[in-house]
Amino acid sequence: MSLIAELRISGEPFALSRALGAAPGMRAETEYSVSAPAGPVVFVWVWGGEFEAFESVLPEDPTVQEFERIEDAGDRRLYEMVLDDTPDLIDPGVLHRRTSASQLRMVTGANYAVVTERLPDHESLATYIARCRDHGYEVELLRAYPAADDHGQYDLSAKQVAALDAALEAGYFETPRGTDLGTLAEEFGISEQALSERLRRGVAAVLESTVGELDDRERARDL
């Protein structure tokens, strides 16, 4: 069975690191990438910082050969970029072909990226990590779960899933509520405060994975 893996990759050189570093808070999400003779071609959405500062440094960024703004959505801008074709910079197209990986998401900051990949198996994941490290990058596996695991994509623990399911079934989230926190806490044999925290973290995990922006904070998964 295939699996979904979320990894944090950091180090130098890193695509767009100088330009992103010039605009504090700026992040970039790769929408599409393809290998090309001149270098990897990527289409990137950028947001969260000063666009003028970002664009002013792009010509000086050693990882970028060419760039063109494709769309301006106000708080987000889309660019087409040709990245530098150097042995030290990972070509995402080559990396994916050699590991049979399919990129689901990639959010980049200065000198790091958090990537979500679909891979055939754990052996392919190990190869993916090894190839990144061979290029001198640090790799942290944040989480990995079977592609068929509907809950894994939200970074929910088994206890959080059980609590949310019981609360939903009992009408806890309805107006008026069909049950109260004390009744649910008794069902799980824990305090109201512990159950409240478990529900809060579960809801936060779902929101972050659906409507929220990806961040690098570790979420407690054992509550």
Side-chain angles (χ1 to χ4, degrees):
M1 179 183 295
S2 63
L3 71 153
I4 308 298
E6 185 178 298
L7 311 98
R8 178 186 170 94
I9 304 172
S10 56
E12 295 182 358
F14 211 94
L16 300 178
S17 59
R18 181 175 296 181
L20 291 171
M26 186 71 83
R27 285 182 286 179
E29 180 171 0
T30 302
E31 181 176 86
Y32 179 74
S33 65
V34 62
S35 297
V41 178
V42 296
F43 292 82
V44 180
W45 282 102
V46 175
W47 76 96
E50 293 292 334
F51 293 111
E52 291 71 18
F54 174 76
E55 291 186 358
S56 68
V57 178
L58 271 176
E60 305 169 10
D61 193 310
T63 66
V64 179
Q65 293 189 50
E66 303 174 18
F67 72 94
E68 179 182 359
R69 187 198 304 170
I70 302 298
E71 183 175 342
D72 187 343
D75 60 341
R76 294 166 64 91
R77 291 182 182 180
L78 178 65
Y79 299 86
E80 178 183 359
M81 301 181 181
V82 180
L83 301 182
D84 187 36
D85 188 18
T86 67
D88 293 330
L89 191 63
I90 300 176
D91 184 330
V94 173
L95 178 62
H96 290 149
R97 286 198 302 272
R98 293 183 178 177
T99 60
S100 298
S102 174
Q103 182 175 292
L104 302 179
R105 193 179 190 197
M106 179 176 182
V107 177
T108 305
N111 295 321
Y112 81 93
V114 176
V115 299
T116 304
E117 302 277 4
R118 183 189 300 273
L119 299 113
D121 47 42
H122 285 87
E123 183 178 351
S124 298
L125 173 58
T127 301
Y128 184 103
I129 293 174
R131 295 197 68 85
C132 290
R133 288 174 174 166
D134 287 344
H135 278 77
Y137 293 93
E138 296 181 7
V139 182
E140 178 186 1
L141 178 61
L142 301 178
R143 57 191 173 114
Y145 54 90
D149 182 356
D150 293 334
H151 300 123
Q153 63 178 309
Y154 302 124
D155 202 13
L156 291 169
S157 70
K159 291 180 179 180
Q160 289 168 355
V161 171
L164 288 170
D165 184 63
L168 186 63
E169 182 69 22
Y172 179 74
F173 298 111
E174 296 177 4
T175 303
R177 286 179 172 172
T179 188
D180 56 39
L181 196 62
T183 301
L184 285 172
E186 288 181 7
E187 180 180 337
F188 286 95
I190 58 178
S191 68
E192 291 187 29
Q193 181 178 354
L195 180 60
S196 176
E197 182 68 7
R198 189 176 297 179
L199 290 172
R200 186 188 67 78
R201 290 187 180 276
V203 171
V206 174
L207 290 175
E208 287 179 14
S209 298
T210 53
V211 300
E213 293 182 350
L214 183 65
D215 60 33
D216 301 314
R217 295 172 298 166
E218 292 186 357
R219 292 190 288 266
R221 302 192 54 173
D222 296 324
L223 288 173

